[in-house]
Every structure is written in C-alpha cells, then in structure tokens.
Amino acid sequence: MNPTDHIDEDQEEYEFTITSSDAYVAAALIPCGTCHAKTEVICIHCETGTVSGEALSRFTISDVTAIDKALARQLEPWPTFRKVGGSDVPEGDYANHCRHCGAVLDDMYLHSEPDEPFFDVPGAPPGSIKLAPLEGTIRLSGDEHFDLD
C-alpha cells in the first residue's frame, strides 16, 4: 500500500497548512515497541518553509493529516509510512508502521523528547539520521516541531 493509494481527487482542493521548497525525508532506525525488531521510521524535515503563512526554519512535521499528490509520489519508497485508522490513531492520519509486525509507531514517541530520533534533526548524532531531498514544493498538513535553542 502506497501513500498515493488513499489520496482522492478532493485532496488536491484541500488547503494545506505547510509548504516547503527545501524539504527532506529524515529516516532513522528504531526498535519497534511491539516486536522490538529494528525498523525504519521517517518524517518530513524542512530547512525552510511556511506554517499557516508564518515563515519557519529547521522544523519537522508530525501527526500528518494530509499530503498532496506530488509528495505522496515521492514518499512511495517508504511504504511503511501510510494512512491509518483505528482506536489508537485518528482515521486518516499518516503514521509509520513496523515493517516486521505492522504495528503503528506513534509520532508522539518519535518527536517529543530529546532522546527520540526526530526531536532535533539538525543536532542529531552523525549517522543517526539519513536525509533524502524532496523535489519541488511540498504541501501537507500536520504539526510542526523545532528545537528551541
């Protein structure tokens, strides 16, 4: 299942709150909270961009609720980042899933604390996060996080 499998025609009419022309997929390996196997997780990291019209720099995006078709195509190499539904994550939100057991890996445990992989992408230990550039301007909706130096 790809991120594009769940984008309907109305999604293109959606008013996205975040845009960036200088964005990356940030990838890290973590142990799954369910099966404990190492699995890759991703988030979007923006060097620059706007959130609800406000210019920001060096921020990540969690709790993604919508992505445009162009970004969805660029996320196809990471099929474990996809829409979910159920009691533990609101239906329609995007989340990482363990590639081994399929468990949902909640963004709260990836962005919120200093020891989590996406808490401070620019300040992460060398080699702990791989960045893959995204092409063009990306558009999505979610929550922005940035280090409060």
Side-chain angles (χ1 to χ4, degrees):
M1 184 180 301
N2 294 316
T4 54
D5 291 344
H6 295 289
I7 296 196
D8 55 39
E9 295 305 313
D10 295 334
Q11 189 88 343
E12 285 304 303
E13 301 301 318
Y14 187 85
E15 188 175 329
F16 297 101
T17 58
I18 301 169
T19 61
S20 176
S21 297
D22 190 9
Y24 300 81
V25 171
L29 287 175
I30 66 162
C32 172
T34 302
C35 73
H36 308 289
K38 288 277 189 183
T39 193
E40 184 178 56
V41 291
I42 68 165
C43 78
I44 304 299
H45 170 73
C46 301
E47 279 295 312
T48 59
T50 61
V51 178
S52 299
E54 181 182 347
L56 295 177
S57 60
R58 300 187 122 187
F59 62 97
T60 60
I61 304 159
S62 69
D63 302 315
V64 174
T65 56
I67 59 177
D68 71 3
K69 286 183 181 182
L71 176 56
R73 280 191 293 277
Q74 292 188 73
L75 294 177
E76 287 177 358
W78 296 276
T80 57
F81 182 78
R82 61 182 183 269
K83 273 192 164 187
V84 297
S87 60
D88 48 341
V89 177
E91 186 171 340
D93 284 3
Y94 290 79
N96 288 282
H97 294 72
C98 176
R99 70 180 174 100
H100 303 282
C101 71
V104 174
L105 305 169
D106 193 329
D107 276 352
M108 181 175 73
Y109 302 111
L110 301 175
H111 293 263
S112 302
E113 297 293 329
D115 62 338
E116 294 165 355
F118 304 133
F119 181 78
D120 179 13
V121 170
S128 65
I129 294 178
K130 294 179 185 173
L131 295 175
L134 292 165
E135 295 180 12
T137 299
I138 64 161
R139 300 179 312 145
L140 69 162
S141 292
D143 296 327
E144 77 280 358
H145 293 268
F146 48 95
D147 189 23
L148 303 173
D149 297 66

